Amino acid sequence: MTDFAVGTRTAGIDDAEYDALLTEVTDWVRGPGEEWSERIEAADDVPRELFDELRDRGYLSMAAPVDLGGRGVSFTQWMGLMEIFSRSHASIRMLVHVVNGTWRAILPYASEEQIENYVKPMIAGRTLVAFTLTEPGNGSGADISCSVRREGDTYYLSGRKHLITFGVKCDYWLLFARLEGTTGPDGLVALLVDRNAPGAQVEDTSNTMGVRGTDHATLRFEETPVPVAQRLGDEGEGLRIALGGFLTPSRISVAMSCVGLAERAQELAVVYARERVTFGKPIAKRQAIAFMLAENAADIQAAKQLTLHAAREWEADSPDAPTLSSMAKMTAVDMLTRVTDKALQVHGGVGYWKTSTIERVYRDARAQRFEEGTNEIQKTIVARAVLGDADDSKRNGAAQ
């Protein structure tokens, strides 16, 4: 097993290289990224050409260690880049976010052979892996019911998953299931399931309110064979792999995604407020509008700083990082709701039309309220820490 702290946390690149990278990404988001955004909205699809462009530019491997083929930016540096990418179309952000993060769940538990066969191809952008935890009939923790039984060197998988991002177009599902006959978190396993495995049925459920173009799936498995060699870690470590390896840093990344999208909404509102004239003067000169924009600016900065604090704590392998990730996510989501609502209000009726960019931003913002767990789940996690019940939550894995 790869050491967790070393394997998933990189030292980062020097300031000059990082500043150049920030400039490059900013220019891409404002230029080609906007053109891609228009194409995605028009076709309701993320074309393969976009994935290839992001890969060829190195944008899908920024956060991974250099010795695995990545750029080697630190997690806090990655947050700065995530902030910029999130000002673009939500499906662009989703691709960059997921591909730059899913390997974190796999690497600490992967054998050398699995690193060569799965982790490095993921980082190189040759393989797309979909995080596959959520189920239609229960929560997203120790109560999952998708099950496997083992016969020799093969698991046989049965059950359902839904709301699986990239579940249609992926190459593998990083799937969490229960050993048949077990209860609680100790019976969970993490498996890499081939997208084309026998007995796997995929239903495309991509018709969403926002984040248009990103594919989502409902999955059904009937005695689907999965080689034991494609299990990560040991039996019983599934929940640890799902929560610690992926969800904690991913929640921090989602929080920063909220910051970036809120900044985009604020930018649009400021431009419109300066341009829109009523009764002889720009509406930016009217106190009601100016106060909305002032509140937005303060709101964004508060969420950003909490998110950066959570990122630094995760980078330092702090035991407080999981709780802080939930704090950051729930704070940033509420902030984004307020900011986008005010930004749309500044636009008046014009903002309600699809010809207005703020309309897309407003729709995309709503998805953040349940990505990587609803705010109700985040509050439950934080409350446990506040009330001293953190050990109980780790044991039962509920509401994660």
Side-chain angles (χ1 to χ4, degrees):
M1 183 186 300
T2 305
D3 180 78
F4 185 84
V6 174
T8 63
R9 294 168 171 83
T10 58
I13 58 180
D14 65 48
D15 290 345
E17 183 182 356
Y18 182 60
D19 289 343
L21 187 56
L22 286 173
T23 299
E24 176 191 332
V25 171
T26 299
D27 291 343
W28 185 88
V29 166
R30 291 190 177 278
E34 277 300 297
E35 295 173 8
W36 279 116
S37 298
E38 293 173 5
R39 287 182 59 181
I40 292 170
E41 283 294 307
D44 192 13
D45 182 62
V46 175
R48 179 69 195 193
E49 293 87 348
L50 173 57
F51 183 91
D52 293 343
E53 180 174 333
L54 292 169
R55 179 199 62 209
D56 293 345
R57 286 180 169 272
Y59 295 167
L60 301 181
S61 55
M62 289 178 163
V66 173
D67 61 354
L68 295 177
R71 184 70 178 261
V73 302
S74 69
F75 189 65
T76 49
Q77 288 175 334
W78 172 236
M79 288 301 94
L81 293 160
M82 191 79 259
E83 180 183 357
I84 295 171
F85 277 116
S86 301
R87 297 170 188 166
S88 187
H89 192 282
S91 284
I92 294 175
R93 189 279 302 178
M94 185 70 79
L95 263 178
V96 174
H97 162 66
V98 171
V99 178
N100 273 281
T102 308
W103 62 269
R104 293 184 193 278
I106 298 174
L107 180 61
Y109 299 89
S111 65
E112 290 301 321
E113 184 177 359
Q114 289 171 332
I115 290 173
E116 293 297 323
N117 291 342
Y118 304 111
V119 177
K120 288 185 178 180
M122 289 171 62
I123 291 169
R126 298 194 304 270
T127 299
L128 180 60
V129 177
F131 189 80
T132 308
L133 178 66
T134 306
E135 298 180 3
N138 43 42
S140 296
D143 63 336
I144 65 176
S145 56
C146 200
S147 66
V148 292
R149 60 181 177 82
R150 180 172 178 174
E151 293 185 7
D153 292 332
T154 303
Y155 290 111
Y156 290 90
L157 169 66
S158 296
R160 297 178 63 198
K161 298 287 186 179
H162 78 157
L163 306 180
I164 305 305
T165 303
F166 303 129
V168 179
K169 297 180 180 179
C170 66
D171 299 292
Y172 291 91
W173 297 295
L174 172 56
L175 185 144
F176 302 89
R178 172 171 305 290
L179 290 167
E180 193 173 60
T182 66
T183 59
D186 293 338
L188 299 182
V189 294
L191 303 171
L192 282 163
V193 182
D194 192 299
R195 165 66 174 78
N196 298 308
Q201 302 174 38
V202 180
E203 178 187 357
D204 191 333
T205 55
S206 302
N207 191 22
T208 52
M209 175 192 295
V211 198
R212 306 292 289 179
T214 291
D215 71 271
H216 299 83
T218 292
L219 311 175
R220 293 174 178 82
F221 301 96
E222 296 180 8
E223 293 289 290
T224 298
V226 184
V228 171
Q230 290 174 208
R231 185 191 71 212
L232 295 169
D234 297 325
E235 292 182 347
E237 289 189 309
L239 193 64
R240 184 184 305 172
I241 293 170
L243 301 185
F246 182 77
L247 282 181
T248 295
S250 188
R251 282 170 176 161
I252 299 170
S253 295
V254 170
M256 189 55 81
S257 298
C258 293
V259 170
L261 192 57
E263 289 170 339
R264 178 64 169 143
Q266 174 78 337
E267 177 186 59
L268 292 168
V270 168
V271 169
Y272 187 82
R274 286 172 171 164
E275 293 176 348
R276 172 64 169 146
V277 174
T278 62
F279 302 100
K281 65 179 180 180
I283 61 173
K285 298 293 185 181
R286 304 191 182 282
Q287 189 179 71
I289 300 299
F291 278 11
M292 284 188 200
L293 298 174
E295 290 165 353
N296 278 358
D299 225 359
I300 291 168
Q301 280 299 316
K304 180 177 179 177
Q305 297 310 315
L306 176 57
T307 301
L308 288 172
H309 175 55
R312 289 189 290 267
E313 289 298 289
W314 185 84
E315 204 167 47
D317 203 17
S318 166
D320 295 330
T323 302
L324 284 167
S325 76
S326 290
M327 287 182 180
K329 205 258 178 179
M330 73 185 205
T331 298
V333 163
D334 284 345
M335 173 277 295
L336 179 60
T337 300
R338 292 189 296 268
V339 167
T340 51
D341 187 67
K342 290 172 186 172
L344 184 64
Q345 189 68 17
V346 168
H347 283 77
V350 170
Y352 196 67
W353 262 251
K354 287 186 178 293
T355 51
S356 179
T357 304
I358 190 62
E359 186 271 344
R360 185 192 84 213
V361 170
Y362 188 84
R363 281 187 288 110
D364 286 345
R366 188 61 179 82
Q368 306 285 28
R369 293 182 65 175
F370 51 79
E371 186 178 347
E372 311 301 22
T374 64
N375 263 18
E376 289 72 26
I377 288 176
Q378 311 310 325
K379 290 173 185 178
T380 299
I381 295 169
V382 173
R384 283 175 176 154
V386 170
L387 297 172
D389 297 330
D391 289 340
D392 291 337
S393 68
K394 291 176 183 176
R395 281 194 294 271
N396 61 38
Q400 296 292 322

